[in-house]
């Protein structure tokens, strides 16, 4: 990959606070150089108390006291430390310790909106739509693209117009690659470079929504793997092809090589596949995670350590087929030694003695530098590359307009309610990045998505004018609400380019 920049405005604006300014809110500061990370959610398998909202909410509060997070999806390091702030529910996160940069696929948690933690569970499993509807929680909210720095603590949404499911970061260029769902089986592979320029490399039909995206060791290719199907996308051109293997990851010890886990009777078998010669070039012992019992021994979600000696894999080990039949099939992270094929679960399955609170894991990621080995796709495979699909073959560009309107409206409502309660102590800066980014997204859709929100936002801006002119607000509140009013004026004028995105994360000391 030849893309290199000396200045990277996107990251520069997040890493160093302007003089006399600090983040309007702190995301994460000084993240540890973790060995690996895992995205974790907590599932509730009802016991004697059933699905009663108050009982589940009490469990969520107990979880917060026990591990610092409730039912929101959380990315944890190998030591169990939370890598994302509690006001986000985070599906995918990558952290570059050398630069402090963070990219994530996430959305606001209900806790971030001042709402009960049980609603984060209901947002994922559908209870908010059915049995808990009266509590007005979000329903299957879309993931947004976030970027930030653990040097400054700034963490803001960069994109809110699709459902971002997985993200990766190429440190030297500052480029973020991400996988977006557009509904049904349609997805896209997209890139935002260090300058903030956004382009969709290609649309891909046939995705499941569980795919994960990873840069190749040289940064020139992207692997989009969904377990049962995978794709390769060339970064420079957007050309793409269905990969010859799936359930795969980039192998760090040999150029142009993938490691794939082929699930056979008795368990998964790791094999090496050379993209330049289009053939298998190595094999490791069959995998076995302790506690496999009588459930399917298949492994998926493969991630390989920088040294090439260990794997993180998804497994159903640790439960019985009877339990699986009653409560469903969930994935846990297993850590396996490649030389022997033996491994164990990273963490215990349950967080409680009653077996109601069950861990479920997604997106495993080893951290640490890997050799930037070149990736050359041989002629036989290169002949299968297809030209990029630059326009969605089907679907509405505003497919996630309802989700954006819901989350933006809830953030604005919460901030206005706080302001009405206490002009000085309320914290308008806390949710302002989501509010302004959400308004800009809805304005780009136009129509009913924007009309209703524009009318409401304009009323709020008009009501704020006397407060901003008579010194009634604290300095940080004043900065945040001035940014809001300025953004509303720009959007109503059809001039979103006038929004000062670089200034938005910061308020006066």
């Amino acid at each position: 990959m030849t893309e290199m920049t000396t200045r990277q405005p996107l990251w520069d604006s997040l890493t160093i606070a302007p003089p006399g300014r600090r983040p309007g809110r702190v995301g994460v500061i000084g993240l540890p150089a973790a060995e690996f990370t895992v995205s974790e959610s907590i599932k509730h398998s009802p016991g004697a108390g059933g699905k009663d909202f108050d009982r589940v909410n009490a469990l969520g509060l107990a979880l917060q006291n026990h591990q610092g997070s409730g039912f929101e999806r959380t990315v944890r390091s190998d030591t169990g430390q939370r890598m994302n702030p509690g006001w986000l529910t985070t599906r995918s996160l990558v952290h570059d310790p050398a630069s402090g940069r963070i990219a994530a696929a996430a959305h606001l948690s209900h806790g971030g909106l001042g709402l009960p933690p049980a609603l984060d569970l209901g947002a994922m499993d559908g209870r908010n739509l059915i049995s808990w509807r009266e509590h007005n929680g979000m329903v299957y909210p879309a993931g947004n693209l976030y970027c930030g720095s653990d040097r400054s603590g700034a963490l803001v949404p960069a994109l809110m117009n699709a459902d971002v499911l997985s993200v990766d970061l190429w440190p030297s260029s500052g480029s973020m690659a991400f996988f977006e769902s557009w509904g049904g089986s349609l997805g896209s592979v997209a890139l935002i470079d260090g300058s903030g320029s956004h382009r969709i490399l290609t649309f891909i039909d046939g995705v499941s929504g569980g795919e994960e995206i990873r840069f190749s060791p040289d940064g020139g290719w992207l692997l989009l793997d969904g377990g049962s199907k995978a794709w390769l996308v060339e970064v420079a051109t957007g050309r793409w092809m269905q990969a010859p293997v799936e359930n795969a990851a980039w192998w760090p010890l040999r150029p142009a090589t993938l490691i794939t886990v082929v699930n056979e009777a008795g368990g998964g078998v790791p094999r090496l596949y050379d993209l330049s010669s289009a053939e298998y070039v190595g094999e490791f012992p069959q995998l076995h995670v302790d506690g496999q019992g009588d459930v399917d021994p298949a492994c998926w979600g493969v991630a390989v350590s920088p040294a090439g000696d260990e794997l993180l894999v998804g497994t159903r080990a640790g439960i019985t087929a009877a339990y699986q039949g009653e409560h469903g099939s969930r994935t846990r992270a297993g850590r396996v030694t490649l030389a022997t094929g033996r491994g164990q679960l990273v963490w215990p399955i349950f967080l409680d003695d009653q077996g109601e609170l069950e861990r479920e894991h997604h997106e495993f990621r080893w951290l640490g530098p890997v050799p930037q080995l070149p990736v050359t796709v041989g002629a036989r495979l290169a002949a299968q590359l297809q030209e990029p699909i630059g326009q969605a073959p089907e679907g509405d560009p505003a497919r996630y307009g309802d989700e954006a309107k819901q989350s933006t409206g809830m953030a604005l409502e919460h901030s206005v309610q706080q302001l009405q309660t206490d002009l000085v102590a309320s914290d308008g800066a806390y949710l302002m990045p989501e509010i302004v980014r959400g308004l800009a997204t809805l304005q780009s859709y136009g129509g009913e998505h924007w009309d209703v929100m524009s009318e409401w936002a304009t009323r709020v801006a008009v009501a704020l004018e006397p407060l901003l002119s008579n010194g009634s607000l604290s300095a940080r509140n004043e900065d945040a609400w001035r940014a809001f009013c300025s953004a509303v004026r720009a959007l109503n004028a059809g001039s979103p380019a006038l929004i000062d995105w670089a200034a938005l994360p910061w308020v006066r000391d």
Side-chain angles (χ1 to χ4, degrees):
M1 184 177 180
T2 58
E3 178 189 8
M4 293 288 289
T5 58
T6 55
R7 289 190 70 255
Q8 297 172 358
L10 171 67
W11 298 108
D12 294 344
S13 67
L14 294 168
T15 303
I16 304 172
R21 301 265 162 168
R22 61 184 174 85
R25 64 183 180 198
V26 174
V28 284
I29 291 285
L31 286 175
E35 187 177 20
F36 61 81
T37 60
V38 173
S39 177
E40 179 180 89
S41 56
I42 306 301
K43 301 300 183 183
H44 176 235
S45 300
K51 297 182 180 181
D52 175 74
F53 180 86
D54 290 336
R55 170 173 168 72
V56 176
N57 198 55
L59 291 173
L61 293 170
L63 280 172
Q64 290 177 344
N65 291 330
H66 173 68
Q67 62 171 16
S69 60
F71 288 113
E72 73 271 17
R73 199 185 298 250
T74 300
V75 174
R76 298 192 178 279
S77 72
D78 53 290
T79 63
Q81 180 172 343
R82 192 175 66 191
M83 303 287 284
N84 61 281
W87 39 267
L88 284 181
T89 180
T90 307
R91 182 185 180 107
S92 173
L93 181 145
V94 57
H95 170 234
D96 174 39
S99 65
R101 294 167 180 166
I102 300 166
H107 60 79
L108 286 172
S109 68
H110 287 86
L113 295 164
L115 296 171
L119 293 175
D120 286 314
L121 176 64
M124 289 186 285
D125 68 9
R127 298 186 208 187
N128 288 357
L129 180 64
I130 305 172
S131 54
W132 295 348
R133 194 166 188 170
E134 70 274 14
H135 296 282
N136 298 315
M138 290 182 281
V139 179
Y140 303 122
N144 310 139
L145 179 67
Y146 277 76
C147 54
S149 169
D150 79 341
R151 303 288 195 268
S152 67
L155 185 63
V156 296
L159 203 65
M160 293 179 68
N161 68 333
D163 189 8
V164 180
L165 300 177
S166 182
V167 63
D168 201 19
L169 178 64
W170 184 246
S172 62
S173 69
S175 292
M176 294 180 289
F178 49 102
F179 166 59
E180 307 168 295
S181 168
W182 291 92
S185 62
L186 182 65
S188 65
V189 173
L191 194 80
I192 291 182
D193 65 23
S195 71
S197 176
H198 170 221
R199 62 189 173 107
I200 291 179
L201 299 182
T202 187
F203 284 89
I204 295 176
D205 200 7
V207 300
S208 67
E211 286 78 7
E212 299 172 8
I213 196 165
R214 294 294 184 272
F215 276 106
S216 62
D218 65 353
W221 292 84
L222 290 163
L223 173 66
L224 184 68
D225 187 87
S228 61
K229 192 184 293 186
W231 295 265
L232 289 167
V233 179
E234 190 175 33
V235 173
T237 66
R239 293 190 304 164
W240 64 281
M241 62 176 289
Q242 187 168 331
V245 295
E246 60 281 322
N247 207 19
W250 296 105
W251 179 244
L253 304 184
R254 191 174 191 272
T257 302
L258 297 171
I259 182 169
T260 173
V261 173
V262 181
N263 285 307
E264 300 177 348
V269 178
R271 294 184 177 129
L272 299 180
Y273 186 89
D274 189 316
L275 294 171
S276 60
S277 63
E279 61 185 4
Y280 288 100
V281 292
E283 184 172 304
F284 296 91
Q286 191 170 50
L287 304 181
H288 180 89
V289 179
D290 290 349
Q292 195 66 64
D294 58 354
V295 297
D296 183 356
C299 295
W300 55 92
V302 183
V304 60
S305 65
D309 58 346
E310 292 184 278
L311 293 180
L312 291 172
V313 297
T315 176
R316 296 189 178 96
I319 61 169
T320 64
Y323 177 92
Q324 179 177 297
E326 181 178 357
H327 297 290
S329 176
R330 291 158 186 161
T331 300
R332 258 78 54 181
R335 184 173 184 171
V336 180
T337 300
L338 267 173
T340 63
R342 305 294 300 191
Q344 59 283 320
L345 294 176
V346 173
W347 292 295
I349 296 173
F350 298 104
L351 286 94
D352 64 329
D353 295 336
Q354 293 73 36
E356 285 189 69
L357 300 173
E358 181 183 352
R359 287 185 170 96
E360 182 170 31
H361 293 141
H362 321 264
E363 191 156 290
F364 318 129
R365 190 188 305 265
W366 292 87
L367 304 181
V370 296
Q372 294 190 15
L373 301 176
V375 174
T376 301
V377 175
R380 193 188 334 171
L381 291 178
Q384 301 176 30
L385 286 169
Q386 302 181 47
E387 290 302 308
I389 301 173
Q391 298 292 327
E394 59 182 27
D396 179 5
R399 163 68 177 80
Y400 290 99
D402 289 341
E403 286 85 349
K405 186 164 64 175
Q406 181 187 46
S407 62
T408 305
M410 292 175 74
L412 180 57
E413 180 180 24
H414 179 63
S415 297
V416 169
Q417 287 176 347
Q418 280 198 319
L419 186 65
Q420 291 171 332
T421 301
D422 192 326
L423 294 179
V424 177
S426 62
D427 191 358
Y430 188 69
L431 296 174
M432 199 54 66
E434 282 78 17
I435 293 171
V436 174
R437 182 64 71 178
L439 290 174
T441 301
L442 293 168
Q443 190 268 350
S444 72
Y445 294 153
E448 63 175 340
H449 291 298
W450 173 237
D451 292 343
V452 174
M453 191 61 69
S454 172
E455 181 182 352
W456 180 22
T458 301
R459 289 200 311 269
V460 173
V462 170
L464 282 165
E465 290 298 339
L467 300 178
L468 293 172
S469 61
N470 65 17
S472 299
L473 305 180
S474 64
R476 61 180 286 114
N477 247 346
E478 182 180 331
D479 289 344
W481 288 112
R482 281 194 186 281
F484 170 81
C485 292
S486 176
V488 171
R489 286 193 297 271
L491 294 171
N492 281 338
S495 303
L498 296 178
I499 297 175
D500 188 352
W501 295 108
L504 192 61
W506 313 103
V507 295
R508 279 171 284 176
D509 285 336

